[in-house]
Amino acid sequence: MKRTRSLRRRTAVAAVAAAPVLFLAGCGDDGNGSAATTASPTASASVPAGEHNQADVDFAQEMIPHHRQAVMMSDMAETRASSDEVKTLAAKIKQAQEPEIATMSAWLTAWGEEVPQGMDGMDHGDATSMPGMMDDRQMDDMRGASGTAFDTMFLTMMIKHHEGAIEMAETEKEEGAYGPAKELADDIITAQKAEIAQMKQMLGTN
């Protein structure tokens, strides 16, 4: 499903020097049902030089909070899930998405753009307006669930979350200009389509 949205068409072209960028990003669950900002894998990233446009900025600024919510959901699975398969999948999702948050944060810093904090949608509107994002009530429902009920909720919501990320990545592939961002978008599509198929099989909906 292709996401339709109005993007500003101005092109912010920049030749970005390959300089190390040190930053902190990420989000976690503090165990009390609230989002606690934590350090993501601290990364010293060399940002490849190349032209980027507004679509690339939008992609990074929206995908970062989107990924952070997936990481938070995965953190919940460590203590709330009953299925080892769900726990393993959640750990895999977290392991994949935390470095991607770090990479996109480095791009934004190098471009002189704001790195979103927490799960805010920055100037793109409320974060829940992004495809697949869970609202506060849904996240609270997950925090209150455990066992098989949590497993079903996690898989159902993560499928929707992944579908939203794929939609955003497809928009980046079509409208972005920055090669590494388009490559990341392609990686997200490939990985998350495979995970959706796995989760549907786990739910017995295939």
Side-chain angles (χ1 to χ4, degrees):
M1 170 182 174
K2 179 180 176 183
R3 181 183 177 197
T4 57
R5 63 177 180 174
S6 175
L7 287 172
R8 295 187 298 275
R9 293 294 176 177
R10 69 178 180 82
T11 300
V13 177
V16 182
V21 179
L22 190 67
F23 59 89
L24 296 176
C27 192
D29 186 35
D30 65 4
N32 296 316
S34 61
T37 301
T38 59
S40 77
T42 303
S44 179
S46 275
V47 179
E51 296 182 353
H52 72 277
N53 63 13
Q54 188 60 42
D56 300 313
V57 174
D58 290 343
F59 171 68
Q61 286 184 334
E62 293 182 358
M63 193 62 81
I64 286 170
H66 202 276
H67 271 18
R68 283 182 182 148
Q69 187 175 72
V71 170
M72 181 180 290
M73 293 165 70
S74 297
D75 282 339
M76 291 184 201
E78 292 180 14
T79 56
R80 292 168 172 82
S82 64
S83 166
D84 288 339
E85 193 174 6
V86 168
K87 290 181 180 180
T88 299
L89 174 63
K92 178 184 175 185
I93 290 169
K94 181 177 178 179
Q95 185 178 23
Q97 296 197 17
E98 282 186 333
E100 291 174 353
I101 291 168
T103 295
M104 291 183 285
S105 296
W107 294 342
L108 291 171
T109 300
W111 297 339
E113 301 284 353
E114 287 189 86
V115 178
Q117 300 302 308
M119 289 185 293
D120 293 337
M122 299 296 288
D123 60 344
H124 305 284
D126 186 80
T128 57
S129 67
M130 286 181 270
M133 286 286 278
M134 302 299 112
D135 59 27
D136 290 341
R137 180 188 59 78
Q138 290 170 311
M139 294 298 285
D140 285 343
D141 287 345
M142 287 192 73
R143 291 186 185 99
S146 62
T148 56
F150 177 88
D151 295 344
T152 299
M153 191 177 296
F154 175 85
L155 294 170
T156 302
M157 290 185 179
M158 192 62 81
I159 288 170
K160 179 181 177 184
H161 203 269
H162 274 21
E163 288 171 344
I166 290 168
E167 188 176 330
M168 294 161 66
E170 286 174 341
T171 297
E172 166 61 19
K173 285 185 67 177
E174 292 173 6
E175 302 181 8
Y178 188 56
K182 292 166 76 73
E183 289 171 8
L184 176 59
D186 194 51
D187 290 344
I188 288 171
I189 291 168
T190 300
Q192 297 200 14
K193 279 185 175 179
E195 288 170 355
I196 287 172
Q198 179 183 353
M199 289 187 284
K200 286 183 175 179
Q201 185 176 35
M202 291 163 70
L203 283 170
T205 57
N206 266 353

